Amino acid sequence: MFTHVQPIYKKSKYGCPIFDILEGINMESPHKPNILLIVVDSLRSDHLSCYGYERRTTPFLDDISSWSVVFENAVSASGWTSQSYSSIFTGTYPSKNGLNPGKFPTIMQILRPYGYKTFGITDNFFVEPLCIGFDYFLHMTRRSACKMMCSREFNEVLEFLQYIARHKSILNIQSVPTGFLKNRIAEKWLSRNCDKGPLFMYLDYSAHWPYDPPEPFFSRFLKGVSSKEVGGIRRDLYDLVASEVSERQIEVLRSLYDGQVGYVDSCLKHLIDYLESLDMFDNTLLIVTSDHGDLLGEHGLFGHEFVLCEPLIRVPLILRFPDAFRGGKRYSGLVQTLDILPTLIDYLGIDWADVSREIQGISLLKLMEGEIEREFTISERSDWSTAKSKEKIVYLRTRYPSCDWEKYSHEIIALRTKEHKYIWSSEGRHELYDLKRDPQESNNVISTENEKACELKSKLDKWKSSFCLLYTSPSPRDRTR
């Protein structure tokens, strides 16, 4: 499927033979690479087969990864969508950008002066305010779908309805548009702009609850499970958290989640196939990542609220370069999703002096080269801070009085090294985990490993003092993304 390209070696300014990419692309060239950024909502890396998962959930990404760089220890800057996207788009941590659209330039704003036409589409209303700098942008809502029915997009809607009928997915209509319709709209834009200079395209897909993909993905990993049993499990996430959920039920939820992941993989394949049909993919830098993962029963939790444990912050990060690493590479060092923007700046040879002053991410190219090593990662969440969770806790305490919701009412920041994770809590409920001995984070050792806790707290305090902290203020509805 993919064309082999011989890597170009040269003596670099870093003093050793590396791929030509670190020298930067000639931005005056008419052959600047296209860039396709795919962000999958709620996609945890340990449920992708290209990351070693036992189920073959992602056959297409498995193929892509053999020609790409797979970052095995990629960590999101947050466990919820708004904070994560603000970091991806600006290369800054949430506590620096404050979820303030326009405070720092986005990827799109940086690329446009260099001739890039920018396209973006999302159905996530938490992402929409952060999407600054697109030439074409569509926030898909029910209203926009109705407009499409009465416009030149009617053929796409008709094709969508036929797709629903073919896949027996009438009950799954809310989840199907996150892939199928977005691809069709993107393909129409591509057909009109494929010869108009380098393109930057952003699309998001969803592995988000309620894990309701169309067939054949819905049933792909469900073995011996009746529709009645599935219906009894797929209910309100808070109900699951407050209830006793059996191992059998958790396994059903995992199977549904894996089916959703498989559907996302198929959507990506269809889009890449279209790029191939336009003879564009060979000159496209593909980036696949996620805003955060999802909990599937770990610590008795579901979804992606409350905590910053491994299944939430460990996300996939795969980069397929058009001109390098075509034999595939796996990088095991620590990286973060906010490293995407500085990587693009480095790869394209953009003058760092113009844009890098506020960027906190590190170029993945420099990390792979060994010039820099990331000592630790930072993940934050403020959506359950004491001040912001009062109304939510009153509601949940009334509905589920047996559950201790107050224990989640705090702002938290996780500093993660390869071996340890220190979690600072605004309420003083700090935690420390030895990830080597306790990868499930079941034993808080902060009281027995005080020296290590003090060491990591010192690193966190130094990180906090390196910039002006802005505490984010999510809207009341921003609780489940």
Side-chain angles (χ1 to χ4, degrees):
M1 176 181 179
F2 305 113
T3 305
H4 289 277
V5 176
Q6 291 295 323
I8 304 171
Y9 290 92
K10 65 190 291 185
K11 188 74 173 178
S12 83
K13 59 189 175 186
Y14 300 102
C16 57
I18 60 170
F19 288 110
D20 183 42
I21 53 179
L22 280 179
E23 286 296 305
I25 303 298
N26 179 4
M27 294 303 283
E28 301 301 320
S29 167
H31 304 296
K32 294 187 285 287
N34 303 306
I35 301 168
L36 174 59
L37 172 61
I38 301 291
V39 183
V40 184
D41 194 352
S42 305
L43 185 62
R44 48 191 283 177
S45 60
D46 63 349
H47 275 247
L48 276 65
S49 41
C50 56
Y51 276 79
Y53 189 45
E54 62 268 18
R55 286 175 170 167
R56 195 158 187 248
T57 51
T58 52
F60 180 69
L61 266 178
D62 295 352
D63 190 12
I64 286 282
S65 65
S66 66
W67 307 101
S68 307
V69 182
V70 177
F71 295 91
E72 297 175 335
N73 286 294
V75 177
S76 174
S78 181
W80 57 286
T81 294
S82 299
Q83 285 188 321
S84 298
Y85 266 91
S86 69
S87 292
I88 292 171
F89 282 163
T90 67
T92 60
Y93 287 103
S95 54
K96 180 170 183 173
N97 62 57
L99 290 187
N100 184 359
K103 181 175 177 62
F104 301 112
T106 64
I107 294 174
M108 298 73 74
Q109 290 174 300
I110 290 171
L111 291 180
R112 284 176 72 183
Y114 291 91
Y116 276 82
K117 291 183 68 69
T118 54
F119 166 93
I121 185 168
T122 184
D123 62 346
N124 192 323
F125 54 77
F126 299 117
V127 176
E128 187 268 338
L130 306 171
C131 291
I132 301 172
F134 286 108
D135 294 305
Y136 176 95
F137 176 75
L138 176 62
H139 176 210
M140 289 184 62
T141 62
R142 289 186 177 89
R143 179 177 295 180
S144 65
C146 290
K147 287 182 179 180
M148 289 166 61
M149 290 291 288
C150 304
S151 72
R152 58 191 177 191
E153 310 293 346
F154 175 78
N155 288 337
E156 279 67 32
V157 176
L158 180 61
E159 186 180 3
F160 164 61
L161 295 176
Q162 292 171 341
Y163 178 91
I164 294 289
R166 283 198 308 273
H167 292 78
K168 302 178 182 178
S169 306
I170 294 298
L171 298 179
N172 312 112
I173 196 166
Q174 290 302 314
S175 63
V176 174
T178 60
F180 182 84
L181 271 184
K182 289 176 186 176
N183 278 359
R184 293 300 175 270
I185 294 168
E187 289 165 8
K188 172 160 284 193
W189 185 84
L190 280 166
S191 69
R192 295 169 176 169
N193 293 277
C194 60
D195 59 348
K196 295 182 180 178
L199 309 179
F200 172 86
M201 298 161 283
Y202 153 70
L203 287 87
D204 57 19
Y205 298 130
S206 178
H208 196 285
W209 176 265
Y211 316 147
D212 200 14
E215 293 290 3
F217 304 99
F218 186 87
S219 303
R220 174 161 290 177
F221 301 107
L222 291 173
K223 305 299 180 185
V225 181
S226 67
S227 57
K228 183 178 180 180
E229 184 177 3
V230 172
I233 299 171
R234 290 176 61 253
R235 55 187 190 267
D236 184 88
L237 282 173
Y238 296 122
D239 188 39
L240 290 172
V241 172
S243 306
E244 290 290 334
V245 182
S246 68
E247 282 299 319
R248 162 81 175 184
Q249 291 174 319
I250 290 175
E251 181 54 38
V252 171
L253 289 173
R254 287 174 182 156
S255 297
L256 292 171
Y257 178 81
D258 291 344
Q260 186 74 38
V261 173
Y263 174 59
V264 167
D265 186 69
S266 74
C267 291
L268 178 59
K269 180 181 185 303
H270 290 148
L271 181 61
I272 299 303
D273 284 348
Y274 188 76
L275 285 170
E276 284 270 289
S277 73
L278 297 177
D279 198 27
M280 293 180 64
F281 187 59
D282 194 51
N283 190 40
T284 295
L285 168 57
L286 171 67
I287 306 166
V288 180
T289 191
S290 175
D291 54 351
H292 53 73
D294 238 15
L295 291 163
L296 297 168
E298 294 88 355
H299 306 281
L301 298 174
F302 299 87
H304 44 267
E305 294 193 68
F306 312 119
V307 294
L308 287 172
C309 56
E310 293 292 276
L312 282 191
I313 64 173
R314 293 284 298 278
V315 295
L317 181 57
I318 300 171
L319 271 68
R320 182 268 186 192
F321 291 93
D323 54 358
F325 303 112
R326 297 300 291 272
K329 178 180 176 66
R330 300 186 81 91
Y331 179 76
S332 61
L334 293 173
V335 301
Q336 295 216 245
T337 50
L338 75 161
D339 297 336
I340 292 172
L341 173 54
T343 302
L344 293 178
I345 292 172
D346 209 4
Y347 177 66
L348 296 174
I350 294 173
D351 187 353
W352 273 83
D354 294 338
V355 295
S356 66
R357 194 168 302 159
E358 303 292 346
I359 290 176
Q360 295 172 296
I362 303 170
S363 168
L364 297 168
L365 301 176
K366 290 182 170 63
L367 289 169
M368 287 188 289
E369 175 63 17
E371 182 196 356
I372 306 172
E373 183 178 7
R374 182 185 286 283
E375 184 182 3
F376 56 80
T377 64
I378 295 288
S379 303
E380 311 173 61
R381 69 179 315 146
S382 62
D383 53 324
W384 270 81
S385 66
T386 303
K388 298 166 189 170
S389 61
K390 285 182 179 179
E391 291 184 11
K392 178 76 111 180
I393 288 176
V394 170
Y395 163 76
L396 291 173
R397 191 192 299 129
T398 302
R399 188 171 177 183
Y400 308 105
S402 63
C403 190
D404 179 14
W405 301 103
E406 281 81 0
K407 67 182 178 181
Y408 302 118
S409 179
H410 55 171
E411 180 180 351
I412 51 178
I413 302 176
L415 182 147
R416 185 191 189 280
T417 67
K418 277 196 169 184
E419 297 185 348
H420 291 87
K421 181 191 288 182
Y422 174 79
I423 301 177
W424 170 88
S425 163
S426 60
E427 300 300 304
R429 301 190 294 268
H430 311 314
E431 302 168 66
L432 177 67
Y433 297 98
D434 186 331
L435 299 176
K436 289 290 185 182
R437 297 178 181 177
D438 179 26
Q440 306 304 319
E441 300 168 279
S442 57
N443 183 26
N444 181 6
V445 297
I446 196 159
S447 61
T448 58
E449 294 193 24
N450 185 63
E451 185 177 345
K452 176 58 70 172
C454 289
E455 174 193 334
L456 297 182
K457 180 183 182 300
S458 176
K459 292 180 186 296
L460 180 60
D461 290 342
K462 184 177 180 180
W463 173 81
K464 285 182 178 181
S465 66
S466 66
F467 62 97
C468 179
L469 290 168
L470 293 176
Y471 294 99
T472 55
S473 301
S475 67
R477 66 181 179 178
D478 197 352
R479 295 288 186 246
T480 58
R481 281 286 178 176

